[in-house]
Amino acid sequence: MDNIEQLARQRNRVLVSAAISFLVWQGATLGLDVVDALPGRVPMNLFPLQLALIVGAVAWAGSMLFLLSFHRKVKRAGARSVLRDELFLRNRALATMHGFAGMIIGVTLLLAAASLVEFSAAIALRTVLIAGVFTPLISLALLGREPVGQDI
Amino acid sequence: MTSSASLGNNLKELRARHNLTQAQLAEAVGVTRKTINTVENRVFTPSALLALKLAAALEVPVEALFYLDTADQRGCV
Protein backbone atom coordinates (compact mmCIF):
# COMPACT_ATOMS: atom_id res chain seq x y z
CA MET A 1 0.00 0.00 0.00
CA ASP A 2 2.95 2.30 0.69
CA ASN A 3 4.00 1.68 -2.87
CA ILE A 4 0.67 3.02 -4.18
CA GLU A 5 0.97 6.18 -2.10
CA GLN A 6 4.57 6.64 -3.23
CA LEU A 7 3.49 6.26 -6.86
CA ALA A 8 0.62 8.73 -6.35
CA ARG A 9 3.09 11.26 -4.90
CA GLN A 10 5.49 10.62 -7.75
CA ARG A 11 2.72 11.18 -10.27
CA ASN A 12 2.07 14.58 -8.73
CA ARG A 13 5.76 15.45 -8.93
CA VAL A 14 5.77 14.45 -12.62
CA LEU A 15 2.79 16.72 -13.28
CA VAL A 16 4.30 19.70 -11.44
CA SER A 17 7.72 19.32 -13.11
CA ALA A 18 6.11 19.00 -16.55
CA ALA A 19 3.88 22.05 -15.96
CA ILE A 20 6.65 24.31 -14.66
CA SER A 21 9.25 23.26 -17.22
CA PHE A 22 6.76 23.78 -20.05
CA LEU A 23 5.83 27.21 -18.71
CA VAL A 24 9.49 28.26 -18.44
CA TRP A 25 10.41 26.88 -21.88
CA GLN A 26 7.47 28.23 -23.82
CA GLY A 27 7.23 31.39 -21.71
CA ALA A 28 10.83 32.26 -22.59
CA THR A 29 10.17 31.49 -26.26
CA LEU A 30 7.12 33.75 -26.12
CA GLY A 31 9.23 36.47 -24.53
CA LEU A 32 11.76 36.25 -27.36
CA ASP A 33 8.94 36.35 -29.92
CA VAL A 34 7.59 39.51 -28.29
CA VAL A 35 11.03 41.17 -28.26
CA ASP A 36 11.49 40.27 -31.94
CA ALA A 37 8.15 41.87 -32.73
CA LEU A 38 8.99 45.16 -31.01
CA PRO A 39 9.23 48.08 -33.45
CA GLY A 40 12.77 49.26 -34.12
CA ARG A 41 15.98 47.73 -32.77
CA VAL A 42 15.56 48.01 -29.01
CA PRO A 43 18.89 47.22 -27.31
CA MET A 44 18.09 44.58 -24.75
CA ASN A 45 19.89 41.86 -22.86
CA LEU A 46 18.25 38.69 -24.07
CA PHE A 47 20.51 36.36 -22.12
CA PRO A 48 18.03 35.69 -19.26
CA LEU A 49 15.33 34.75 -21.76
CA GLN A 50 17.70 32.60 -23.80
CA LEU A 51 18.96 30.87 -20.66
CA ALA A 52 15.40 30.27 -19.45
CA LEU A 53 14.55 28.80 -22.86
CA ILE A 54 17.42 26.32 -22.71
CA VAL A 55 16.84 25.43 -19.07
CA GLY A 56 13.11 25.05 -19.68
CA ALA A 57 13.60 22.87 -22.76
CA VAL A 58 16.06 20.60 -20.97
CA ALA A 59 13.77 20.42 -17.93
CA TRP A 60 10.80 19.55 -20.19
CA ALA A 61 12.79 16.76 -21.82
CA GLY A 62 13.77 15.57 -18.36
CA SER A 63 10.19 15.57 -17.17
CA MET A 64 9.16 13.49 -20.21
CA LEU A 65 11.83 10.93 -19.26
CA PHE A 66 10.57 11.12 -15.67
CA LEU A 67 7.06 10.41 -17.02
CA LEU A 68 8.27 7.38 -19.00
CA SER A 69 10.06 6.03 -15.96
CA PHE A 70 6.94 6.57 -13.88
CA HIS A 71 4.78 4.63 -16.34
CA ARG A 72 7.23 1.73 -16.24
CA LYS A 73 7.13 1.70 -12.43
CA VAL A 74 3.32 1.69 -12.47
CA LYS A 75 3.27 -1.19 -14.96
CA ARG A 76 5.77 -3.20 -12.91
CA ALA A 77 3.73 -2.62 -9.73
CA GLY A 78 0.46 -3.55 -11.50
CA ALA A 79 -0.96 -0.36 -10.00
CA ARG A 80 -2.58 1.19 -13.05
CA SER A 81 -6.21 0.53 -12.11
CA VAL A 82 -5.69 1.73 -8.52
CA LEU A 83 -3.97 4.95 -9.58
CA ARG A 84 -6.68 5.56 -12.18
CA ASP A 85 -9.51 5.19 -9.66
CA GLU A 86 -12.75 7.14 -9.94
CA LEU A 87 -11.45 10.13 -8.01
CA PHE A 88 -8.50 10.47 -10.40
CA LEU A 89 -10.79 10.17 -13.43
CA ARG A 90 -13.05 12.89 -12.02
CA ASN A 91 -10.05 15.11 -11.28
CA ARG A 92 -8.70 14.54 -14.78
CA ALA A 93 -12.03 15.57 -16.30
CA LEU A 94 -12.05 18.69 -14.09
CA ALA A 95 -8.47 19.54 -15.05
CA THR A 96 -9.36 19.16 -18.73
CA MET A 97 -12.24 21.61 -18.24
CA HIS A 98 -9.89 24.01 -16.47
CA GLY A 99 -7.50 23.75 -19.42
CA PHE A 100 -10.31 24.51 -21.82
CA ALA A 101 -11.39 27.47 -19.70
CA GLY A 102 -7.78 28.69 -19.61
CA MET A 103 -7.60 28.59 -23.40
CA ILE A 104 -10.92 30.45 -23.77
CA ILE A 105 -9.74 33.13 -21.34
CA GLY A 106 -6.43 33.35 -23.22
CA VAL A 107 -8.16 33.74 -26.56
CA THR A 108 -10.55 36.36 -25.14
CA LEU A 109 -7.67 38.40 -23.74
CA LEU A 110 -5.77 38.13 -27.02
CA LEU A 111 -8.82 39.33 -28.95
CA ALA A 112 -9.08 42.32 -26.62
CA ALA A 113 -5.34 43.00 -26.93
CA ALA A 114 -5.52 42.74 -30.73
CA SER A 115 -7.61 45.92 -30.83
CA LEU A 116 -4.81 47.79 -29.07
CA VAL A 117 -1.56 46.27 -30.38
CA GLU A 118 -0.47 44.24 -33.36
CA PHE A 119 1.11 40.87 -32.77
CA SER A 120 1.93 37.87 -34.86
CA ALA A 121 -0.02 34.63 -35.10
CA ALA A 122 2.95 32.85 -33.49
CA ILE A 123 2.64 34.98 -30.36
CA ALA A 124 -1.10 34.39 -30.16
CA LEU A 125 -0.84 30.65 -30.76
CA ARG A 126 1.99 30.20 -28.29
CA THR A 127 0.00 32.05 -25.62
CA VAL A 128 -2.97 29.75 -26.14
CA LEU A 129 -0.66 26.71 -26.17
CA ILE A 130 0.85 27.70 -22.82
CA ALA A 131 -2.61 28.16 -21.31
CA GLY A 132 -3.83 24.87 -22.78
CA VAL A 133 -0.91 22.80 -21.49
CA PHE A 134 0.04 24.47 -18.20
CA THR A 135 -3.46 24.89 -16.78
CA PRO A 136 -4.65 21.27 -16.87
CA LEU A 137 -1.29 19.90 -15.68
CA ILE A 138 -1.12 22.19 -12.65
CA SER A 139 -4.84 21.78 -11.98
CA LEU A 140 -4.52 17.98 -11.92
CA ALA A 141 -1.48 18.24 -9.65
CA LEU A 142 -3.36 20.50 -7.22
CA LEU A 143 -6.45 18.28 -7.23
CA GLY A 144 -4.32 15.20 -6.59
CA ARG A 145 -2.17 16.59 -3.80
CA GLU A 146 -1.61 14.57 -0.66
CA PRO A 147 -4.47 14.66 1.89
CA VAL A 148 -3.65 16.75 4.95
CA GLY A 149 -3.49 15.13 8.35
CA GLN A 150 -2.47 11.78 9.72
CA ASP A 151 -3.91 8.58 8.40
CA ILE A 152 -5.72 7.27 11.49
CA MET B 1 -41.22 20.29 -2.06
CA THR B 2 -37.66 21.47 -2.09
CA SER B 3 -34.72 19.72 -0.53
CA SER B 4 -30.99 20.03 -0.71
CA ALA B 5 -29.62 16.59 -0.05
CA SER B 6 -26.06 15.42 0.14
CA LEU B 7 -24.46 12.07 0.83
CA GLY B 8 -23.54 11.59 4.46
CA ASN B 9 -21.37 8.72 5.66
CA ASN B 10 -20.18 6.92 8.74
CA LEU B 11 -16.98 5.85 7.09
CA LYS B 12 -14.58 7.16 9.72
CA GLU B 13 -16.43 5.53 12.61
CA LEU B 14 -16.86 2.18 10.88
CA ARG B 15 -13.24 2.23 9.72
CA ALA B 16 -12.09 2.89 13.28
CA ARG B 17 -14.25 0.02 14.50
CA HIS B 18 -12.32 -2.30 12.21
CA ASN B 19 -9.02 -0.71 13.19
CA LEU B 20 -8.26 0.22 9.62
CA THR B 21 -6.27 3.19 8.41
CA GLN B 22 -7.42 5.03 5.30
CA ALA B 23 -4.56 3.45 3.36
CA GLN B 24 -5.54 -0.05 4.50
CA LEU B 25 -9.17 0.47 3.54
CA ALA B 26 -8.04 1.97 0.23
CA GLU B 27 -5.98 -1.11 -0.52
CA ALA B 28 -8.89 -3.37 0.37
CA VAL B 29 -11.20 -1.71 -2.16
CA GLY B 30 -8.62 -0.91 -4.84
CA VAL B 31 -8.43 2.89 -4.66
CA THR B 32 -5.91 5.42 -3.36
CA ARG B 33 -5.85 6.76 0.18
CA LYS B 34 -6.84 10.17 -1.16
CA THR B 35 -10.10 8.72 -2.49
CA ILE B 36 -11.01 7.35 0.94
CA ASN B 37 -10.04 10.66 2.52
CA THR B 38 -12.21 12.70 0.14
CA VAL B 39 -15.19 10.36 0.58
CA GLU B 40 -14.86 10.59 4.37
CA ASN B 41 -14.70 14.36 4.28
CA ARG B 42 -17.64 14.51 1.88
CA VAL B 43 -15.55 16.21 -0.78
CA PHE B 44 -16.10 13.38 -3.27
CA THR B 45 -19.26 11.34 -3.81
CA PRO B 46 -18.37 7.72 -4.59
CA SER B 47 -20.05 5.73 -7.32
CA ALA B 48 -22.54 3.01 -6.38
CA LEU B 49 -19.84 0.44 -7.15
CA LEU B 50 -17.32 2.00 -4.78
CA ALA B 51 -19.99 2.47 -2.11
CA LEU B 52 -20.84 -1.24 -2.31
CA LYS B 53 -17.15 -2.20 -2.19
CA LEU B 54 -16.63 -0.04 0.90
CA ALA B 55 -19.68 -1.53 2.60
CA ALA B 56 -18.45 -5.05 1.80
CA ALA B 57 -14.96 -4.28 3.11
CA LEU B 58 -16.45 -2.91 6.34
CA GLU B 59 -18.94 -5.79 6.59
CA VAL B 60 -21.99 -3.57 6.85
CA PRO B 61 -24.96 -2.96 4.59
CA VAL B 62 -24.43 0.05 2.37
CA GLU B 63 -27.31 1.90 4.08
CA ALA B 64 -25.40 1.70 7.37
CA LEU B 65 -22.41 3.33 5.70
CA PHE B 66 -24.06 6.02 3.57
CA TYR B 67 -27.20 8.03 4.14
CA LEU B 68 -29.07 10.89 2.60
CA ASP B 69 -28.35 14.03 4.53
CA THR B 70 -31.18 16.42 3.79
CA ALA B 71 -30.82 19.97 5.00
CA ASP B 72 -34.50 20.68 4.40
CA GLN B 73 -36.81 17.74 4.98
CA ARG B 74 -40.44 18.06 4.05
CA GLY B 75 -42.93 15.27 3.78
CA CYS B 76 -44.28 14.47 0.35
CA VAL B 77 -47.83 13.24 0.11
Side-chain angles (χ1 to χ4, degrees), chain A residues 1 4-5 8 81-83 85-87 90-91 143-152, chain B residues 12 15 20-24 27 30-35 37-38 43-47 50:
Chain A
M1 80 192 91
I4 297 293
E5 300 314 312
S81 63
V82 176
L83 288 172
D85 64 8
E86 53 191 66
L87 176 67
R90 183 205 75 159
N91 287 345
L143 288 167
R145 63 190 185 279
E146 192 76 353
V148 178
Q150 276 189 310
D151 180 10
I152 45 166
Chain B
K12 189 167 186 175
R15 187 170 56 78
L20 291 171
T21 61
Q22 289 177 345
Q24 286 167 336
E27 190 185 9
V31 297
T32 58
R33 182 201 155 197
K34 181 154 174 96
T35 304
N37 182 274
T38 52
V43 169
F44 174 63
T45 301
S47 65
L50 180 56

Side-chain angles (χ1 to χ4, degrees), chain A residues 37-124:
Chain A
L38 289 173
R41 299 294 285 163
V42 181
M44 205 177 279
N45 182 9
L46 296 177
F47 180 70
L49 280 176
Q50 290 163 336
L51 180 64
L53 191 155
I54 294 168
V55 166
V58 169
W60 172 254
S63 63
M64 291 301 102
L65 290 171
F66 191 13
L67 178 66
L68 266 170
S69 152
F70 170 73
H71 277 304
R72 271 195 217 115
K73 277 188 198 172
V74 169
K75 195 175 177 182
R76 243 180 285 133
R80 193 168 182 262
S81 63
V82 176
L83 288 172
R84 289 179 84 241
D85 64 8
E86 53 191 66
L87 176 67
F88 175 77
L89 294 176
R90 183 205 75 159
N91 287 345
R92 193 175 64 180
L94 266 176
T96 305
M97 269 172 39
H98 294 159
F100 181 68
M103 289 173 76
I104 294 293
I105 290 168
V107 166
T108 307
L109 290 173
L110 284 167
L111 279 171
S115 59
L116 299 168
V117 293
E118 262 189 48
F119 46 83
S120 66
I123 288 173

Side-chain angles (χ1 to χ4, degrees), chain B residues 31-69:
Chain B
V31 297
T32 58
R33 182 201 155 197
K34 181 154 174 96
T35 304
I36 301 298
N37 182 274
T38 52
V39 170
E40 244 174 55
N41 294 316
R42 300 170 66 160
V43 169
F44 174 63
T45 301
S47 65
L49 179 61
L50 180 56
L52 286 166
K53 282 182 179 177
L54 285 167
L58 294 169
E59 296 167 349
V60 294
V62 72
E63 297 84 358
L65 182 52
F66 294 102
Y67 56 89
L68 206 56
D69 191 4

Side-chain angles (χ1 to χ4, degrees), chain A residues 21-45:
Chain A
S21 62
F22 189 83
L23 181 66
V24 168
W25 172 34
Q26 289 299 315
T29 311
L30 180 65
L32 289 170
D33 285 347
V34 168
V35 167
D36 268 347
L38 289 173
R41 299 294 285 163
V42 181
M44 205 177 279
N45 182 9

